[in-house]
Amino acid sequence: MDTKHCAVDGWVDAIPTPGPRGTATFDLIVRPADIDTVDEDAPDTVVTCTSGDPRITHELLTGIQPGDLLRATGTLVQPQTPGEPARLTVDALEVLDTALIPVLRDMVMDRYGYYCVIYNADTDAVPVFTALGQWVGLADNPDAIATLIDIHERVTGGDA
């Protein structure tokens, strides 16, 4: 497996999505550095990025939208199968430029005190995080959010 620590500049393709155990995933669209010498029909490169850092996860889920230009730094793993996207585990993130027009989101983030939840119109399941991005769990439906938060507080001793 070929890995390399590097920085990748690219545009966010879609709204970053929450993942298991406090992670967030997003795709960057990367254009060649020498764009003037490349054919017009040359495809862009897609780099799938994942981060488990609570600060980065929080920024991805609350502040990043499609069209934002980011510099993601981390460990790049080349795909083993041609045609699959490269994977970047992000340990530093910098917003280089924001999208000109805000994109209407099909997901809505809401706060329950120290907890954040993300409602998605396509599913009843609701991911729950602490305000710092720590994964709490996946509520089966909106009615189960309070129970999930209550269990998390009992397990952590009330220190979210």
Side-chain angles (χ1 to χ4, degrees):
M1 190 178 310
D2 188 21
T3 63
K4 180 179 182 180
H5 191 77
C6 64
V8 177
D9 293 351
W11 286 268
V12 176
D13 183 42
I15 298 170
T17 57
R21 298 179 301 282
T23 62
T25 302
F26 61 101
D27 287 339
L28 281 182
I29 305 300
V30 180
R31 299 241 163 97
D34 54 349
I35 192 73
D36 295 333
T37 62
V38 177
D39 291 338
E40 281 185 33
D41 296 340
D44 295 329
T45 302
V46 177
V47 178
T48 299
C49 302
T50 303
S51 182
D53 183 304
R55 293 169 296 157
I56 294 173
T57 300
H58 178 72
E59 179 64 21
L60 288 169
L61 297 177
T62 61
I64 301 300
Q65 66 179 1
D68 287 352
L69 179 61
L70 305 179
R71 174 169 292 142
T73 305
T75 305
L76 182 69
V77 177
Q78 295 296 332
Q80 293 180 355
T81 308
E84 289 184 359
R87 298 198 61 82
L88 180 69
T89 302
V90 179
D91 54 33
L93 187 71
E94 180 182 355
V95 178
L96 301 176
D97 197 9
T98 57
L100 295 177
I101 301 172
V103 175
L104 294 176
R105 298 176 183 231
D106 56 355
M107 294 192 303
V108 175
M109 187 168 147
D110 197 5
R111 293 285 299 259
Y112 280 72
Y114 185 71
Y115 296 89
C116 297
V117 299
I118 301 171
Y119 296 104
N120 185 339
D122 297 332
T123 181
D124 285 338
V126 182
V128 180
F129 297 87
T130 65
L132 295 176
Q134 177 189 9
W135 176 250
V136 173
L138 186 66
D140 293 333
N141 57 58
D143 295 333
I145 294 170
T147 304
L148 185 64
I149 290 172
D150 183 50
I151 291 169
H152 181 262
E153 288 185 349
R154 279 189 274 144
V155 169
T156 61
D159 297 325

